Amino acid sequence: MKSRCTIFMLSVLTAIQAFAGITGKITGTVLDAQNKEPLIGATVIVEGTRLGAATNIEGYYVILNVPPGKYNVISSSVGYNKKTVTGVAVSVDLTTTQNFELVSDAVQVGEVIVTAERPVVKRDLTSAEARVDASTIESLPVQEISEVLSLQAGVTVDRGGGIHIRGGRTSEVAYWIDGVSVSDVYDGGQALSVDNSGIQELQVISGTFNAEYGQAMSGIVNIVTKDGDQKFRGSILSYIGDYFSGEKSLFYNIARLNMIDNRNLQGSFSGPLLPDLTFYVSGRYYKTNGWLYGNRVFNIDGSIANAPDSVRNSTGQLLSIVPKDNPVPMNGRELYQGQAKFSFQLGGWGKFALSGIGSRSTFRDYSHDLQFVPDGDATKRDKSYNLTGLWTHTLGSATFYTLNLSYLYKKFQEYQFENPLDTLQLINPSLPVKPLYAFNTFNTSNHHFERRTETRVAKFDITSQLDKLIQVKGGVEGRLHRLYFQDYNTTYDNTLFQASGRLVHAIPERTGPNYQEYTEKPTEFAAYVQGKAEYDNMIVNLGLRFDYFNSNGRVLADPQDPNIYNPQKPENVARTLEQRRATWYNNAAAKTFVSPRFGISYPITDRGVLHFSYGHFLQIPSFIFLYQKPEFKIIEQDGTQGIFGNADLEPQKTVMYEIGLQQQFGEDYSGDFTMFYRDIRDWVTTTSPIPIGSVNSARKYTQYTNEDYANARGITVSFNKQQGSNLALSLSYTFQIVEGLNSNPDDKNSRELGGADSVRYLSALNWDQTHTANLSVGYSERNDWGVFLIGRYGSGLPYTPSLNQADFRGEDASNGVRENSRRRPDNITFDLRLFKNLEFAGLELSLFAKVFNVFDTRNELDVYGQTGRATATPQNLGIGNIAGGNRVNTVEQYLKRPEFYSEPREIQFGMELNF
């Protein structure tokens, strides 16, 4: 035992690896069925692949680099009958143990075929996680991958649909596809989406993750996509649907059912091109009009669009209006997705895979003020793709290495008119100002925004099974980023307009404060060690990660004189622009950091396993905070300006602990109980105002810095039924408390601009959901028909009450109101899927129906601070008589906010054809 532990520690200290797991391994022994002696040189192969191994003198074998899925595994030996075990399940980063006992061919029983028994408890799981395979995703009433994520223990969803894992910010989750990070370094989100039908396995690590994962602090979402095989397969899926609710007074235009408002068409095809070359391709088109509509009463220039009934006074002033129906979608979305993978097997020792995933979408976000002029808003456009080349080379039966090259591209744009000088944008500035609590009667968006993120990655990895107990990994990774950013609003010459009435649009001066453009090229390097020892009574994961980051950005040499185009200090005013450039900025310092990880799994019985893990996790802040307004174009105006980026930000840090128990109940049921704690430091927030010119200056600015603190603690419970019978069941529950100084990096700055003091106490963060529970239950009859139901419950998210509510409840208003000291109402939703399978002419046809929000529940997502509910009256808000000219709606109409509620009921009918 001592020598094995020594080998293990040396292995960890001499190997480095930087490759997210996309494969698992199969191990076991092959014995003589009669005398239980090991069979030396017996072969074990994975049917349908080139993967296999021979047993050693102990009858032990190991097969590495097995993609996730279910396989037939065959063992044979000279003088013995062949044995096949069907349905052997392999999962990413886990060990599947499959033992064989072969019968002598003298008995003449012929080939033996048995079905594998999948263990309910995973012995080598040292931290909490969830895994969802392709068949489970297909059966659930879900549309997007985010809906699958939200069902897992430890995962909560905020008001805007953002994913939070164990209390972290949305940017702390890392997204990986086929071993490559697809996180958007600009804002920390997922750079591109993947069609659910193209996913082979989804792994959600909500606990402490191994050192092979970096640039994440709260969780990992690891997706492995499907491969082609040696049989041609294909599928076509299509559905139509619409939102339907009887709530006419709240949701406009969805009381009428139109089943083509939401439509989807997707298909996939896979198979062999050559004996050793396989492919998998898929595509999807999806369009929805959404559930939030406006009524086109006015055109964007203020002219009346559909001749409503109106009342005007003697001077022509509009007094009231009764609009006619002319509905326009205000939160619609159109999406194109595509995926392709080609795999070329070179004998039994090498494999090359080339894959590409891309998506393109256009969408709009609902704006309540534009209810009567719904065409007056900008459209958002998102395009992204990822190209990956993966070379795998096997060095003997227990070692392989991989070389991975990838390119990730994301482009996001926001504009109403592609040409920034389009004359349709010109709105007469002398039109009347909109009254309070009234809808706009004219509007255009002059905002033009574009950003592009490119990431080039090169990785080398090696994995070796040193002996029966110890596996090590090692590798290095380099990333080169390129970030382009442009942001401005078109303007017009007000002097020219006042003099002649002419409107002439222009793009702001590039050196002025109203135009922002930059290109930055940060770099990253990472290396880490990861070792795994699998003893009979203990499994240990131990790792150490090294990260290097250089923003290649600039910081101010003199923070009191920030604007190079408009210097304030006399010695700088006298210098030319070129002279200032030579000394105005310093290079930001490179960052290096090391983070250890440790996890242990200890089987206490044959049905129960304790697990404990601990780790340090670090993450460079999203690039938006490093490079925002990098030229510090501060204007000559008293007050505090900002917020400006800081290219010298330090990494954010968290230390995470967890302890849990996996337990099997009966033959098919298992549960996991885990307690966790996260200590989070150096979160991004803003500085106190920095004076300009002199310490007593009235002009100041703020920029981002690392000063915020938070912590999260809680319990997660999951209960699952093993698949295999007619009944499927999964239940997850999360109790957690998430507290911190500020929910968002801009909160401190906003509070100070409003005249309030900085928060000096821990309060509930915006996504602090104390109780979250998810139930998934399904019944299928011999795969002939079935029904699946998902139930989601979430206790209310926090909000900050307004002062008059505090007065009403007897609080001392002079002390102010504590941040997030009240709770919104609880939310509960049920989704349903029904299906019926048919077979004809060798084809498989599935007819299905999905109903989202079955009971059309009005979940209140946003609330008025005065009432704590999504509804309010003018009296609640302290609004007096504000009737006046040009008011096209009543205050009561304006206060009905459909976006304050969750989606109404959606109904879909569809079919899937498999061949």
Side-chain angles (χ1 to χ4, degrees):
M1 175 65 74
K2 182 177 179 180
S3 62
R4 292 189 185 278
C5 291
T6 303
I7 294 173
F8 171 68
M9 294 304 298
L10 289 175
S11 302
V12 169
L13 294 173
T14 57
I16 50 177
Q17 199 260 357
F19 186 62
I22 59 174
T23 61
K25 70 177 180 180
I26 303 174
T27 68
T29 57
V30 181
L31 305 178
D32 184 298
Q34 184 176 5
N35 57 30
K36 311 303 180 185
E37 292 292 328
L39 296 180
I40 303 172
T43 60
V44 182
I45 63 171
V46 181
E47 190 176 47
T49 73
R50 295 291 187 94
L51 300 172
T55 58
N56 62 12
I57 59 174
E58 298 176 344
Y60 170 79
Y61 75 93
V62 58
I63 304 175
L64 301 178
N65 200 31
V66 185
K70 291 186 177 180
Y71 299 93
N72 296 337
V73 181
I74 305 169
S75 179
S76 61
S77 183
V78 177
Y80 290 85
N81 290 290
K82 183 167 62 174
K83 184 174 184 178
T84 300
V85 180
T86 63
V88 177
V90 178
S91 296
V92 169
D93 286 338
L94 295 183
T95 300
T96 297
T97 301
Q98 183 58 60
N99 297 320
F100 290 88
E101 292 188 1
L102 302 187
V103 178
S104 171
D105 58 10
V107 181
Q108 296 181 348
V109 297
E111 182 179 358
V112 179
I113 301 177
V114 297
T115 301
E117 295 183 4
R118 187 171 186 176
V120 176
V121 172
K122 303 177 179 65
R123 295 179 69 256
D124 55 337
L125 203 61
T126 58
S127 63
E129 64 170 46
R131 295 169 186 264
V132 187
D133 60 22
S135 60
T136 302
I137 294 174
E138 181 181 358
S139 66
L140 293 174
V142 295
Q143 297 184 89
E144 308 295 339
I145 195 64
S146 59
E147 298 173 62
V148 182
L149 296 179
S150 68
L151 297 174
Q152 313 310 318
V155 178
T156 55
V157 181
D158 64 24
R159 163 64 183 90
I163 297 293
H164 301 263
I165 296 181
R166 290 193 177 179
R169 288 174 173 171
T170 56
S171 58
E172 295 179 11
V173 181
Y175 296 89
W176 294 75
I177 298 177
D178 289 341
V180 177
S181 173
V182 293
S183 294
D184 186 355
V185 292
Y186 174 78
D187 60 7
Q190 187 174 356
L192 77 163
S193 57
V194 182
D195 178 14
N196 286 355
S197 66
I199 298 175
Q200 179 63 39
E201 182 174 274
L202 169 68
Q203 179 188 24
V204 184
I205 308 176
S206 57
T208 54
F209 38 92
N210 288 340
E212 56 190 314
Y213 297 101
Q215 292 302 337
M217 295 207 304
S218 64
I220 301 293
V221 177
N222 187 25
I223 297 171
V224 180
T225 61
K226 292 180 179 179
D227 268 323
D229 56 30
Q230 293 300 321
K231 294 182 179 180
F232 286 105
R233 306 178 192 274
S235 70
I236 299 174
L237 183 148
S238 179
Y239 63 79
I240 56 175
D242 193 16
Y243 292 95
F244 179 73
S245 173
E247 194 74 54
K248 296 181 181 179
S249 63
L250 180 63
F251 294 109
Y252 172 59
N253 194 52
I254 66 168
R256 294 170 292 185
L257 194 62
N258 185 352
M259 292 302 294
I260 62 170
D261 276 359
N262 302 341
R263 49 194 183 271
N264 180 89
L265 177 64
Q266 62 195 78
S268 64
F269 190 53
S270 64
L273 291 175
L274 296 170
D276 292 315
L277 177 62
T278 61
F279 73 94
Y280 175 89
V281 294
S282 68
R284 182 191 183 198
Y285 171 75
Y286 171 74
K287 184 174 183 180
T288 176
N289 286 339
W291 66 96
L292 298 172
Y293 284 80
N295 190 1
R296 187 185 289 123
V297 179
F298 299 94
N299 296 314
I300 62 175
D301 61 358
S303 61
I304 294 178
N306 62 347
D309 297 327
S310 60
V311 177
R312 298 177 183 271
N313 62 16
S314 58
T315 63
Q317 187 179 43
L318 185 65
L319 299 180
S320 65
I321 188 168
V322 180
K324 296 181 180 179
D325 283 338
N326 191 4
V328 176
M330 294 188 70
N331 71 328
R333 181 180 180 224
E334 187 173 31
L335 170 68
Y336 295 87
Q337 288 177 316
Q339 178 178 331
K341 181 186 286 188
F342 298 88
S343 301
F344 183 49
Q345 185 75 45
L346 298 175
W349 52 269
K351 179 181 178 181
F352 177 73
L354 179 65
S355 62
I357 301 173
S359 62
R360 177 165 61 89
S361 65
T362 57
F363 60 97
R364 293 176 61 194
D365 293 327
Y366 176 80
S367 174
H368 191 60
D369 284 348
L370 302 184
Q371 182 69 227
F372 282 0
V373 55
D375 303 306
D377 200 7
T379 298
K380 299 179 180 180
R381 296 164 172 83
D382 188 305
K383 182 173 70 173
S384 55
Y385 62 86
N386 182 71
L387 300 175
T388 301
L390 175 63
W391 166 249
T392 304
H393 187 194
T394 300
L395 304 174
S397 61
T399 302
F400 71 95
Y401 71 85
T402 61
L403 176 63
N404 195 318
L405 302 176
S406 69
Y407 174 75
L408 176 64
Y409 175 87
K410 181 180 177 68
K411 179 179 181 180
F412 177 84
Q413 295 175 296
E414 180 181 339
Y415 56 80
Q416 184 177 8
F417 300 95
E418 186 172 8
N419 179 4
L421 303 180
D422 195 313
T423 57
L424 292 175
Q425 276 185 140
L426 303 177
I427 299 295
N428 191 330
S430 63
L431 287 172
V433 177
K434 183 193 77 167
L436 291 174
Y437 301 100
F439 298 129
N440 286 19
T441 58
F442 59 89
N443 198 81
T444 60
S445 174
N446 295 333
H447 187 214
H448 288 260
F449 178 87
E450 179 179 332
R451 69 174 178 90
R452 298 192 298 268
T453 306
E454 299 174 71
T455 299
R456 295 169 174 83
V457 181
K459 302 195 297 181
F460 174 81
D461 314 277
I462 187 167
T463 302
S464 182
Q465 188 76 32
L466 298 185
D467 59 14
K468 185 178 180 180
L469 300 178
I470 299 172
Q471 182 188 74
V472 294
K473 298 180 179 180
V476 292
E477 174 186 35
R479 297 188 188 185
L480 302 177
H481 305 286
R482 184 181 187 274
L483 177 64
Y484 172 78
F485 180 96
Q486 183 187 58
D487 186 19
Y488 63 88
N489 287 286
T490 56
T491 61
Y492 69 95
D493 189 328
N494 187 54
T495 302
L496 178 63
F497 174 75
Q498 296 296 332
S500 65
R502 291 179 57 206
L503 273 176
V504 178
H505 264 225
I507 297 174
E509 294 182 3
R510 282 170 163 72
T511 58
N514 296 322
Y515 184 94
Q516 301 295 332
E517 185 177 24
Y518 62 79
T519 300
E520 300 290 347
K521 299 179 180 179
T523 57
E524 290 183 69
F525 173 81
Y528 66 85
V529 299
Q530 184 69 46
K532 180 179 182 181
E534 298 180 79
Y535 302 102
D536 291 337
N537 57 357
M538 182 176 62
I539 293 90
V540 179
N541 275 308
L542 182 63
L544 189 68
R545 182 179 180 88
F546 169 81
D547 284 277
Y548 166 92
F549 176 78
N550 193 335
S551 70
N552 293 320
R554 301 176 300 176
V555 296
L556 291 169
D558 182 359
Q560 287 193 347
D561 204 356
N563 192 346
I564 192 172
Y565 302 108
N566 186 20
Q568 297 301 302
K569 292 188 175 180
E571 61 271 25
N572 291 328
V573 174
R575 301 164 65 195
T576 67
L577 179 61
E578 290 304 316
Q579 288 174 331
R580 292 179 215 141
R581 289 188 189 279
T583 60
W584 204 263
Y585 305 104
N586 293 327
N587 292 329
K591 315 297 180 185
T592 59
F593 39 97
V594 176
S595 48
R597 319 280 172 85
F598 172 77
I600 185 170
S601 172
Y602 181 74
I604 53 177
T605 68
D606 61 339
R607 294 192 169 198
V609 178
L610 283 172
H611 57 87
F612 169 79
S613 56
Y614 160 85
H616 289 247
F617 305 88
L618 304 100
Q619 185 178 23
I620 290 296
S622 301
F623 290 176
I624 184 176
F625 305 122
L626 274 68
Y627 304 117
Q628 183 164 292
K629 303 177 182 178
E631 293 186 302
F632 294 84
K633 299 174 184 176
I634 297 173
I635 61 176
E636 295 190 22
Q637 176 179 309
D638 288 351
T640 301
Q641 303 173 47
I643 308 165
F644 295 89
N646 182 357
D648 205 31
L649 286 175
E650 295 291 331
Q652 302 170 112
K653 308 178 182 68
T654 185
V655 178
M656 193 183 328
Y657 314 80
E658 75 165 48
I659 185 170
L661 169 68
Q662 286 186 79
Q663 181 65 50
Q664 180 176 346
F665 305 97
E667 296 302 319
D668 298 323
Y669 295 90
S670 66
D672 185 285
F673 177 88
T674 299
M675 297 183 293
F676 67 89
Y677 177 80
R678 297 182 62 225
D679 184 83
I680 309 164
R681 299 179 184 271
D682 292 337
W683 253 3
V684 175
T685 185
T686 54
T687 62
S688 298
I690 302 171
I692 300 172
S694 66
V695 294
N696 298 319
S697 173
R699 288 200 299 134
K700 302 176 182 180
Y701 71 97
T702 59
Q703 66 177 145
Y704 292 111
T705 187
N706 299 94
E707 291 183 359
D708 256 357
Y709 171 81
N711 64 62
R713 55 201 184 274
I715 298 169
T716 63
V717 180
S718 61
F719 182 78
N720 297 279
K721 181 186 180 300
Q722 183 90 322
Q723 290 184 352
S725 65
N726 294 344
L727 179 67
L729 176 66
S730 177
L731 174 66
S732 67
Y733 167 75
T734 303
F735 168 82
Q736 67 177 4
I737 299 173
V738 186
E739 297 177 321
L741 296 177
N742 297 286
S743 295
N744 299 302
D746 295 356
D747 284 354
K748 177 184 175 183
N749 184 69
S750 299
R751 195 175 293 110
E752 291 178 345
L753 289 178
D757 293 332
S758 300
V759 173
R760 302 183 184 279
Y761 54 84
L762 296 181
S763 59
L765 299 183
N766 291 348
W767 54 90
D768 175 34
Q769 194 164 54
T770 309
H771 304 283
T772 307
N774 298 289
L775 170 67
S776 173
V777 59
Y779 180 86
S780 60
E781 185 65 36
R782 299 184 304 274
N783 202 32
D784 178 50
W785 62 272
V787 55
F788 285 83
L789 178 71
I790 290 177
R792 296 181 174 91
Y793 166 79
S795 59
L797 295 171
Y799 75 96
T800 304
S802 297
L803 279 175
N804 61 340
Q805 184 186 8
D807 294 341
F808 177 77
R809 298 189 180 189
E811 296 181 7
D812 185 359
S814 64
N815 293 329
V817 179
R818 288 182 70 91
E819 189 80 9
N820 281 343
S821 57
R822 294 285 185 269
R823 292 282 172 170
R824 298 175 171 97
D826 297 351
N827 293 337
I828 187 167
T829 306
F830 290 94
D831 302 327
L832 180 70
R833 179 179 183 268
L834 306 164
F835 73 89
K836 169 65 176 176
N837 292 337
L838 304 170
E839 290 188 15
F840 64 95
L843 302 177
E844 298 177 0
L845 177 65
S846 179
L847 305 177
F848 64 86
K850 296 181 183 180
V851 184
F852 301 93
N853 193 1
V854 175
F855 303 107
D856 200 25
T857 308
R858 296 279 82 78
N859 289 310
E860 300 175 49
L861 304 180
D862 273 342
V863 296
Y864 288 96
Q866 293 85 348
T867 65
R869 302 301 299 269
T871 56
T873 65
Q875 292 74 25
N876 294 144
L877 305 184
I879 301 172
N881 183 11
I882 58 173
N886 296 302
R887 175 170 296 281
V888 296
N889 60 277
T890 66
V891 174
E892 287 81 1
Q893 287 175 323
Y894 188 88
L895 295 181
K896 288 185 177 180
R897 305 294 297 257
E899 80 278 21
F900 278 19
Y901 296 86
S902 62
E903 299 180 26
R905 180 191 297 115
E906 182 186 4
I907 302 172
Q908 295 176 358
F909 295 102
M911 58 176 288
E912 181 177 10
L913 182 66
N914 294 297
F915 53 90

